[in-house]
PDB file of all heavy atoms in Angstrom:
ATOM      1  N   ALA A 908      -8.065   8.385  12.239  1.00  0.00           N
ATOM      2  CA  ALA A 908      -8.732   8.473  13.535  1.00  0.00           C
ATOM      3  C   ALA A 908     -10.236   8.655  13.360  1.00  0.00           C
ATOM      4  O   ALA A 908     -11.046   8.032  14.057  1.00  0.00           O
ATOM      5  CB  ALA A 908      -8.147   9.628  14.343  1.00  0.00           C
ATOM      6  N   ALA A 909     -10.620   9.497  12.398  1.00  0.00           N
ATOM      7  CA  ALA A 909     -12.054   9.704  12.137  1.00  0.00           C
ATOM      8  C   ALA A 909     -12.709   8.431  11.613  1.00  0.00           C
ATOM      9  O   ALA A 909     -13.837   8.096  11.973  1.00  0.00           O
ATOM     10  CB  ALA A 909     -12.238  10.839  11.143  1.00  0.00           C
ATOM     11  N   ALA A 910     -11.992   7.707  10.753  1.00  0.00           N
ATOM     12  CA  ALA A 910     -12.539   6.485  10.174  1.00  0.00           C
ATOM     13  C   ALA A 910     -12.763   5.414  11.236  1.00  0.00           C
ATOM     14  O   ALA A 910     -13.657   4.575  11.116  1.00  0.00           O
ATOM     15  CB  ALA A 910     -11.610   5.945   9.097  1.00  0.00           C
ATOM     16  N   ALA A 911     -11.945   5.445  12.293  1.00  0.00           N
ATOM     17  CA  ALA A 911     -12.065   4.452  13.352  1.00  0.00           C
ATOM     18  C   ALA A 911     -13.112   4.830  14.400  1.00  0.00           C
ATOM     19  O   ALA A 911     -13.404   4.048  15.295  1.00  0.00           O
ATOM     20  CB  ALA A 911     -10.707   4.258  14.024  1.00  0.00           C
ATOM     21  N   ALA A 912     -13.658   6.048  14.286  1.00  0.00           N
ATOM     22  CA  ALA A 912     -14.568   6.543  15.315  1.00  0.00           C
ATOM     23  C   ALA A 912     -15.913   5.812  15.329  1.00  0.00           C
ATOM     24  O   ALA A 912     -16.564   5.724  16.354  1.00  0.00           O
ATOM     25  CB  ALA A 912     -14.790   8.040  15.131  1.00  0.00           C
ATOM     26  N   GLY A 913     -16.346   5.306  14.205  1.00  0.00           N
ATOM     27  CA  GLY A 913     -17.630   4.628  14.126  1.00  0.00           C
ATOM     28  C   GLY A 913     -17.983   4.351  12.680  1.00  0.00           C
ATOM     29  O   GLY A 913     -17.430   4.984  11.773  1.00  0.00           O
ATOM     30  N   VAL A 914     -18.909   3.425  12.468  1.00  0.00           N
ATOM     31  CA  VAL A 914     -19.231   3.003  11.102  1.00  0.00           C
ATOM     32  C   VAL A 914     -19.822   4.151  10.298  1.00  0.00           C
ATOM     33  O   VAL A 914     -19.404   4.404   9.161  1.00  0.00           O
ATOM     34  CB  VAL A 914     -20.203   1.802  11.123  1.00  0.00           C
ATOM     35  CG1 VAL A 914     -20.716   1.499   9.721  1.00  0.00           C
ATOM     36  CG2 VAL A 914     -19.499   0.577  11.702  1.00  0.00           C
ATOM     37  N   PHE A 915     -20.792   4.865  10.869  1.00  0.00           N
ATOM     38  CA  PHE A 915     -21.436   5.937  10.107  1.00  0.00           C
ATOM     39  C   PHE A 915     -20.437   7.023   9.751  1.00  0.00           C
ATOM     40  O   PHE A 915     -20.373   7.473   8.591  1.00  0.00           O
ATOM     41  CB  PHE A 915     -22.605   6.531  10.890  1.00  0.00           C
ATOM     42  CG  PHE A 915     -23.326   7.637  10.157  1.00  0.00           C
ATOM     43  CD1 PHE A 915     -24.149   7.349   9.075  1.00  0.00           C
ATOM     44  CD2 PHE A 915     -23.155   8.956  10.531  1.00  0.00           C
ATOM     45  CE1 PHE A 915     -24.800   8.368   8.385  1.00  0.00           C
ATOM     46  CE2 PHE A 915     -23.806   9.982   9.857  1.00  0.00           C
ATOM     47  CZ  PHE A 915     -24.630   9.682   8.777  1.00  0.00           C
ATOM     48  N   LEU A 916     -19.618   7.449  10.728  1.00  0.00           N
ATOM     49  CA  LEU A 916     -18.630   8.492  10.452  1.00  0.00           C
ATOM     50  C   LEU A 916     -17.598   8.016   9.439  1.00  0.00           C
ATOM     51  O   LEU A 916     -17.128   8.796   8.602  1.00  0.00           O
ATOM     52  CB  LEU A 916     -17.938   8.925  11.737  1.00  0.00           C
ATOM     53  CG  LEU A 916     -18.721   9.860  12.657  1.00  0.00           C
ATOM     54  CD1 LEU A 916     -17.899  10.216  13.887  1.00  0.00           C
ATOM     55  CD2 LEU A 916     -19.148  11.126  11.921  1.00  0.00           C
ATOM     56  N   ALA A 917     -17.239   6.734   9.498  1.00  0.00           N
ATOM     57  CA  ALA A 917     -16.290   6.194   8.522  1.00  0.00           C
ATOM     58  C   ALA A 917     -16.874   6.271   7.120  1.00  0.00           C
ATOM     59  O   ALA A 917     -16.170   6.600   6.157  1.00  0.00           O
ATOM     60  CB  ALA A 917     -15.936   4.756   8.881  1.00  0.00           C
ATOM     61  N   LYS A 918     -18.163   5.964   6.998  1.00  0.00           N
ATOM     62  CA  LYS A 918     -18.812   6.029   5.684  1.00  0.00           C
ATOM     63  C   LYS A 918     -18.915   7.466   5.190  1.00  0.00           C
ATOM     64  O   LYS A 918     -18.704   7.738   4.004  1.00  0.00           O
ATOM     65  CB  LYS A 918     -20.194   5.381   5.753  1.00  0.00           C
ATOM     66  CG  LYS A 918     -20.157   3.876   5.954  1.00  0.00           C
ATOM     67  CD  LYS A 918     -21.566   3.286   5.983  1.00  0.00           C
ATOM     68  CE  LYS A 918     -21.528   1.767   6.070  1.00  0.00           C
ATOM     69  NZ  LYS A 918     -22.885   1.178   6.048  1.00  0.00           N
ATOM     70  N   VAL A 919     -19.225   8.383   6.110  1.00  0.00           N
ATOM     71  CA  VAL A 919     -19.308   9.797   5.736  1.00  0.00           C
ATOM     72  C   VAL A 919     -17.930  10.314   5.312  1.00  0.00           C
ATOM     73  O   VAL A 919     -17.803  11.044   4.327  1.00  0.00           O
ATOM     74  CB  VAL A 919     -19.868  10.644   6.903  1.00  0.00           C
ATOM     75  CG1 VAL A 919     -19.735  12.138   6.603  1.00  0.00           C
ATOM     76  CG2 VAL A 919     -21.330  10.297   7.148  1.00  0.00           C
ATOM     77  N   LEU A 920     -16.899   9.915   6.049  1.00  0.00           N
ATOM     78  CA  LEU A 920     -15.543  10.330   5.687  1.00  0.00           C
ATOM     79  C   LEU A 920     -15.190   9.822   4.294  1.00  0.00           C
ATOM     80  O   LEU A 920     -14.634  10.565   3.474  1.00  0.00           O
ATOM     81  CB  LEU A 920     -14.544   9.788   6.701  1.00  0.00           C
ATOM     82  CG  LEU A 920     -13.068  10.025   6.337  1.00  0.00           C
ATOM     83  CD1 LEU A 920     -12.716  11.504   6.452  1.00  0.00           C
ATOM     84  CD2 LEU A 920     -12.143   9.191   7.209  1.00  0.00           C
ATOM     85  N   GLY A 921     -15.507   8.560   4.009  1.00  0.00           N
ATOM     86  CA  GLY A 921     -15.218   8.013   2.691  1.00  0.00           C
ATOM     87  C   GLY A 921     -15.941   8.769   1.595  1.00  0.00           C
ATOM     88  O   GLY A 921     -15.366   9.039   0.531  1.00  0.00           O
ATOM     89  N   LEU A 922     -17.199   9.109   1.849  1.00  0.00           N
ATOM     90  CA  LEU A 922     -17.965   9.883   0.872  1.00  0.00           C
ATOM     91  C   LEU A 922     -17.316  11.234   0.633  1.00  0.00           C
ATOM     92  O   LEU A 922     -17.198  11.702  -0.517  1.00  0.00           O
ATOM     93  CB  LEU A 922     -19.397  10.054   1.372  1.00  0.00           C
ATOM     94  CG  LEU A 922     -20.354  10.817   0.454  1.00  0.00           C
ATOM     95  CD1 LEU A 922     -20.579  10.057  -0.846  1.00  0.00           C
ATOM     96  CD2 LEU A 922     -21.686  11.069   1.165  1.00  0.00           C
ATOM     97  N   ARG A 923     -16.865  11.859   1.720  1.00  0.00           N
ATOM     98  CA  ARG A 923     -16.233  13.174   1.618  1.00  0.00           C
ATOM     99  C   ARG A 923     -14.926  13.093   0.823  1.00  0.00           C
ATOM    100  O   ARG A 923     -14.659  13.924  -0.049  1.00  0.00           O
ATOM    101  CB  ARG A 923     -15.966  13.716   3.028  1.00  0.00           C
ATOM    102  CG  ARG A 923     -15.252  15.049   3.079  1.00  0.00           C
ATOM    103  CD  ARG A 923     -16.120  16.165   2.582  1.00  0.00           C
ATOM    104  NE  ARG A 923     -15.508  17.459   2.857  1.00  0.00           N
ATOM    105  CZ  ARG A 923     -15.667  18.526   2.087  1.00  0.00           C
ATOM    106  NH1 ARG A 923     -16.391  18.441   0.987  1.00  0.00           N
ATOM    107  NH2 ARG A 923     -15.113  19.672   2.404  1.00  0.00           N
ATOM    108  N   VAL A 924     -14.116  12.073   1.103  1.00  0.00           N
ATOM    109  CA  VAL A 924     -12.839  11.929   0.409  1.00  0.00           C
ATOM    110  C   VAL A 924     -13.061  11.645  -1.080  1.00  0.00           C
ATOM    111  O   VAL A 924     -12.395  12.230  -1.942  1.00  0.00           O
ATOM    112  CB  VAL A 924     -11.988  10.815   1.058  1.00  0.00           C
ATOM    113  CG1 VAL A 924     -10.774  10.491   0.194  1.00  0.00           C
ATOM    114  CG2 VAL A 924     -11.537  11.252   2.453  1.00  0.00           C
ATOM    115  N   CYS A 925     -14.018  10.768  -1.387  1.00  0.00           N
ATOM    116  CA  CYS A 925     -14.313  10.486  -2.796  1.00  0.00           C
ATOM    117  C   CYS A 925     -14.818  11.735  -3.505  1.00  0.00           C
ATOM    118  O   CYS A 925     -14.488  11.978  -4.676  1.00  0.00           O
ATOM    119  CB  CYS A 925     -15.346   9.360  -2.912  1.00  0.00           C
ATOM    120  SG  CYS A 925     -14.708   7.731  -2.453  1.00  0.00           S
ATOM    121  N   GLY A 926     -15.614  12.548  -2.795  1.00  0.00           N
ATOM    122  CA  GLY A 926     -16.088  13.803  -3.375  1.00  0.00           C
ATOM    123  C   GLY A 926     -14.959  14.789  -3.605  1.00  0.00           C
ATOM    124  O   GLY A 926     -14.920  15.475  -4.635  1.00  0.00           O
ATOM    125  N   LEU A 927     -14.018  14.875  -2.660  1.00  0.00           N
ATOM    126  CA  LEU A 927     -12.869  15.767  -2.831  1.00  0.00           C
ATOM    127  C   LEU A 927     -11.986  15.310  -3.983  1.00  0.00           C
ATOM    128  O   LEU A 927     -11.455  16.137  -4.737  1.00  0.00           O
ATOM    129  CB  LEU A 927     -12.052  15.819  -1.532  1.00  0.00           C
ATOM    130  CG  LEU A 927     -12.666  16.612  -0.382  1.00  0.00           C
ATOM    131  CD1 LEU A 927     -11.884  16.375   0.903  1.00  0.00           C
ATOM    132  CD2 LEU A 927     -12.714  18.105  -0.705  1.00  0.00           C
ATOM    133  N   TYR A 928     -11.842  14.006  -4.119  1.00  0.00           N
ATOM    134  CA  TYR A 928     -11.068  13.474  -5.249  1.00  0.00           C
ATOM    135  C   TYR A 928     -11.694  13.911  -6.571  1.00  0.00           C
ATOM    136  O   TYR A 928     -11.006  14.420  -7.467  1.00  0.00           O
ATOM    137  CB  TYR A 928     -11.003  11.956  -5.145  1.00  0.00           C
ATOM    138  CG  TYR A 928     -10.351  11.273  -6.325  1.00  0.00           C
ATOM    139  CD1 TYR A 928      -9.036  11.527  -6.665  1.00  0.00           C
ATOM    140  CD2 TYR A 928     -11.063  10.360  -7.098  1.00  0.00           C
ATOM    141  CE1 TYR A 928      -8.427  10.898  -7.746  1.00  0.00           C
ATOM    142  CE2 TYR A 928     -10.470   9.726  -8.182  1.00  0.00           C
ATOM    143  CZ  TYR A 928      -9.160   9.998  -8.500  1.00  0.00           C
ATOM    144  OH  TYR A 928      -8.574   9.383  -9.575  1.00  0.00           O
ATOM    145  N   ARG A 929     -13.015  13.743  -6.681  1.00  0.00           N
ATOM    146  CA  ARG A 929     -13.701  14.169  -7.910  1.00  0.00           C
ATOM    147  C   ARG A 929     -13.553  15.674  -8.128  1.00  0.00           C
ATOM    148  O   ARG A 929     -13.256  16.128  -9.243  1.00  0.00           O
ATOM    149  CB  ARG A 929     -15.185  13.804  -7.824  1.00  0.00           C
ATOM    150  CG  ARG A 929     -15.999  14.250  -9.040  1.00  0.00           C
ATOM    151  CD  ARG A 929     -17.475  14.305  -8.734  1.00  0.00           C
ATOM    152  NE  ARG A 929     -17.750  15.209  -7.618  1.00  0.00           N
ATOM    153  CZ  ARG A 929     -18.947  15.334  -7.049  1.00  0.00           C
ATOM    154  NH1 ARG A 929     -19.964  14.605  -7.457  1.00  0.00           N
ATOM    155  NH2 ARG A 929     -19.123  16.186  -6.046  1.00  0.00           N
ATOM    156  N   ASP A 930     -13.737  16.458  -7.065  1.00  0.00           N
ATOM    157  CA  ASP A 930     -13.687  17.914  -7.196  1.00  0.00           C
ATOM    158  C   ASP A 930     -12.306  18.395  -7.655  1.00  0.00           C
ATOM    159  O   ASP A 930     -12.202  19.269  -8.524  1.00  0.00           O
ATOM    160  CB  ASP A 930     -14.040  18.586  -5.867  1.00  0.00           C
ATOM    161  CG  ASP A 930     -15.492  18.366  -5.468  1.00  0.00           C
ATOM    162  OD1 ASP A 930     -16.292  17.911  -6.325  1.00  0.00           O
ATOM    163  OD2 ASP A 930     -15.827  18.626  -4.298  1.00  0.00           O
ATOM    164  N   TRP A 931     -11.251  17.827  -7.081  1.00  0.00           N
ATOM    165  CA  TRP A 931      -9.913  18.307  -7.409  1.00  0.00           C
ATOM    166  C   TRP A 931      -9.432  17.805  -8.771  1.00  0.00           C
ATOM    167  O   TRP A 931      -8.737  18.532  -9.492  1.00  0.00           O
ATOM    168  CB  TRP A 931      -8.922  17.940  -6.307  1.00  0.00           C
ATOM    169  CG  TRP A 931      -8.960  18.924  -5.186  1.00  0.00           C
ATOM    170  CD1 TRP A 931      -9.475  18.737  -3.933  1.00  0.00           C
ATOM    171  CD2 TRP A 931      -8.506  20.284  -5.220  1.00  0.00           C
ATOM    172  NE1 TRP A 931      -9.363  19.884  -3.192  1.00  0.00           N
ATOM    173  CE2 TRP A 931      -8.768  20.848  -3.942  1.00  0.00           C
ATOM    174  CE3 TRP A 931      -7.886  21.069  -6.190  1.00  0.00           C
ATOM    175  CZ2 TRP A 931      -8.439  22.170  -3.628  1.00  0.00           C
ATOM    176  CZ3 TRP A 931      -7.564  22.389  -5.880  1.00  0.00           C
ATOM    177  CH2 TRP A 931      -7.834  22.926  -4.613  1.00  0.00           C
ATOM    178  N   VAL A 932      -9.817  16.590  -9.136  1.00  0.00           N
ATOM    179  CA  VAL A 932      -9.455  16.115 -10.479  1.00  0.00           C
ATOM    180  C   VAL A 932     -10.181  16.950 -11.537  1.00  0.00           C
ATOM    181  O   VAL A 932      -9.597  17.352 -12.543  1.00  0.00           O
ATOM    182  CB  VAL A 932      -9.780  14.618 -10.633  1.00  0.00           C
ATOM    183  CG1 VAL A 932      -9.621  14.172 -12.077  1.00  0.00           C
ATOM    184  CG2 VAL A 932      -8.866  13.783  -9.745  1.00  0.00           C
ATOM    185  N   SER A 933     -11.456  17.240 -11.287  1.00  0.00           N
ATOM    186  CA  SER A 933     -12.232  18.062 -12.213  1.00  0.00           C
ATOM    187  C   SER A 933     -11.660  19.481 -12.292  1.00  0.00           C
ATOM    188  O   SER A 933     -11.563  20.072 -13.376  1.00  0.00           O
ATOM    189  CB  SER A 933     -13.695  18.098 -11.767  1.00  0.00           C
ATOM    190  OG  SER A 933     -14.453  18.960 -12.582  1.00  0.00           O
ATOM    191  N   ARG A 934     -11.268  20.030 -11.128  1.00  0.00           N
ATOM    192  CA  ARG A 934     -10.688  21.372 -11.093  1.00  0.00           C
ATOM    193  C   ARG A 934      -9.364  21.406 -11.856  1.00  0.00           C
ATOM    194  O   ARG A 934      -9.063  22.358 -12.588  1.00  0.00           O
ATOM    195  CB  ARG A 934     -10.475  21.783  -9.640  1.00  0.00           C
ATOM    196  CG  ARG A 934      -9.944  23.179  -9.398  1.00  0.00           C
ATOM    197  CD  ARG A 934     -10.914  24.239  -9.823  1.00  0.00           C
ATOM    198  NE  ARG A 934     -10.612  24.755 -11.141  1.00  0.00           N
ATOM    199  CZ  ARG A 934     -11.382  25.602 -11.799  1.00  0.00           C
ATOM    200  NH1 ARG A 934     -12.509  26.025 -11.264  1.00  0.00           N
ATOM    201  NH2 ARG A 934     -11.041  26.030 -12.993  1.00  0.00           N
ATOM    202  N   THR A 935      -8.562  20.344 -11.693  1.00  0.00           N
ATOM    203  CA  THR A 935      -7.291  20.263 -12.410  1.00  0.00           C
ATOM    204  C   THR A 935      -7.532  20.200 -13.919  1.00  0.00           C
ATOM    205  O   THR A 935      -6.815  20.849 -14.696  1.00  0.00           O
ATOM    206  CB  THR A 935      -6.496  19.024 -11.954  1.00  0.00           C
ATOM    207  OG1 THR A 935      -6.276  19.101 -10.536  1.00  0.00           O
ATOM    208  CG2 THR A 935      -5.155  18.930 -12.664  1.00  0.00           C
ATOM    209  N   GLU A 936      -8.527  19.429 -14.319  1.00  0.00           N
ATOM    210  CA  GLU A 936      -8.870  19.360 -15.747  1.00  0.00           C
ATOM    211  C   GLU A 936      -9.215  20.748 -16.277  1.00  0.00           C
ATOM    212  O   GLU A 936      -8.749  21.161 -17.354  1.00  0.00           O
ATOM    213  CB  GLU A 936     -10.047  18.414 -15.964  1.00  0.00           C
ATOM    214  CG  GLU A 936     -10.482  18.325 -17.424  1.00  0.00           C
ATOM    215  CD  GLU A 936     -11.837  17.668 -17.617  1.00  0.00           C
ATOM    216  OE1 GLU A 936     -12.437  17.219 -16.630  1.00  0.00           O
ATOM    217  OE2 GLU A 936     -12.300  17.634 -18.772  1.00  0.00           O
ATOM    218  N   ALA A 937     -10.031  21.483 -15.540  1.00  0.00           N
ATOM    219  CA  ALA A 937     -10.432  22.817 -15.985  1.00  0.00           C
ATOM    220  C   ALA A 937      -9.237  23.772 -16.037  1.00  0.00           C
ATOM    221  O   ALA A 937      -9.104  24.561 -16.978  1.00  0.00           O
ATOM    222  CB  ALA A 937     -11.522  23.371 -15.054  1.00  0.00           C
ATOM    223  N   ASP A 938      -8.368  23.705 -15.035  1.00  0.00           N
ATOM    224  CA  ASP A 938      -7.213  24.617 -14.991  1.00  0.00           C
ATOM    225  C   ASP A 938      -6.264  24.334 -16.150  1.00  0.00           C
ATOM    226  O   ASP A 938      -5.735  25.265 -16.772  1.00  0.00           O
ATOM    227  CB  ASP A 938      -6.486  24.471 -13.653  1.00  0.00           C
ATOM    228  CG  ASP A 938      -7.294  25.025 -12.483  1.00  0.00           C
ATOM    229  OD1 ASP A 938      -8.201  25.850 -12.743  1.00  0.00           O
ATOM    230  OD2 ASP A 938      -7.030  24.632 -11.351  1.00  0.00           O
ATOM    231  N   LEU A 939      -6.025  23.065 -16.415  1.00  0.00           N
ATOM    232  CA  LEU A 939      -5.157  22.721 -17.549  1.00  0.00           C
ATOM    233  C   LEU A 939      -5.820  23.067 -18.877  1.00  0.00           C
ATOM    234  O   LEU A 939      -5.153  23.463 -19.839  1.00  0.00           O
ATOM    235  CB  LEU A 939      -4.809  21.226 -17.508  1.00  0.00           C
ATOM    236  CG  LEU A 939      -3.867  20.807 -16.386  1.00  0.00           C
ATOM    237  CD1 LEU A 939      -3.899  19.291 -16.209  1.00  0.00           C
ATOM    238  CD2 LEU A 939      -2.434  21.266 -16.679  1.00  0.00           C
ATOM    239  N   GLY A 940      -7.139  22.925 -18.945  1.00  0.00           N
ATOM    240  CA  GLY A 940      -7.862  23.227 -20.168  1.00  0.00           C
ATOM    241  C   GLY A 940      -7.697  24.672 -20.602  1.00  0.00           C
ATOM    242  O   GLY A 940      -7.722  24.975 -21.804  1.00  0.00           O
ATOM    243  N   GLN A 941      -7.489  25.566 -19.635  1.00  0.00           N
ATOM    244  CA  GLN A 941      -7.295  26.977 -19.981  1.00  0.00           C
ATOM    245  C   GLN A 941      -5.934  27.224 -20.644  1.00  0.00           C
ATOM    246  O   GLN A 941      -5.706  28.279 -21.215  1.00  0.00           O
ATOM    247  CB  GLN A 941      -7.438  27.842 -18.716  1.00  0.00           C
ATOM    248  CG  GLN A 941      -8.851  27.831 -18.165  1.00  0.00           C
ATOM    249  CD  GLN A 941      -9.016  28.760 -16.973  1.00  0.00           C
ATOM    250  OE1 GLN A 941      -8.198  29.644 -16.742  1.00  0.00           O
ATOM    251  NE2 GLN A 941     -10.065  28.554 -16.207  1.00  0.00           N
ATOM    252  N   LEU A 942      -5.034  26.256 -20.511  1.00  0.00           N
ATOM    253  CA  LEU A 942      -3.712  26.373 -21.136  1.00  0.00           C
ATOM    254  C   LEU A 942      -3.614  25.615 -22.449  1.00  0.00           C
ATOM    255  O   LEU A 942      -2.594  25.697 -23.131  1.00  0.00           O
ATOM    256  CB  LEU A 942      -2.624  25.857 -20.186  1.00  0.00           C
ATOM    257  CG  LEU A 942      -2.525  26.559 -18.840  1.00  0.00           C
ATOM    258  CD1 LEU A 942      -1.425  25.914 -18.000  1.00  0.00           C
ATOM    259  CD2 LEU A 942      -2.239  28.047 -19.010  1.00  0.00           C
ATOM    260  N   VAL A 943      -4.654  24.859 -22.784  1.00  0.00           N
ATOM    261  CA  VAL A 943      -4.637  24.063 -24.019  1.00  0.00           C
ATOM    262  C   VAL A 943      -5.273  24.860 -25.138  1.00  0.00           C
ATOM    263  O   VAL A 943      -6.444  25.245 -25.041  1.00  0.00           O
ATOM    264  CB  VAL A 943      -5.378  22.729 -23.823  1.00  0.00           C
ATOM    265  CG1 VAL A 943      -5.442  21.950 -25.138  1.00  0.00           C
ATOM    266  CG2 VAL A 943      -4.693  21.878 -22.769  1.00  0.00           C
TER     267      VAL A 943
END
């Protein structure tokens, strides 16, 4: 619904999702690293 709201908001949403993907993958790497 947010992506369909307008071009600028769709681009901002995409940026946010890509940032969350990076943040959580990086966080997972760090959490697993403490067990290695």
Side-chain angles (χ1 to χ4, degrees):
V914 171
F915 181 73
L916 283 181
K918 291 181 175 182
V919 170
L920 173 70
L922 181 65
R923 177 69 170 149
V924 170
C925 289
L927 286 170
Y928 174 61
R929 178 199 58 188
D930 293 347
W931 277 108
V932 171
S933 176
R934 183 66 262 173
T935 302
E936 178 194 357
D938 290 339
L939 290 164
Q941 293 184 18
L942 301 179
V943 176

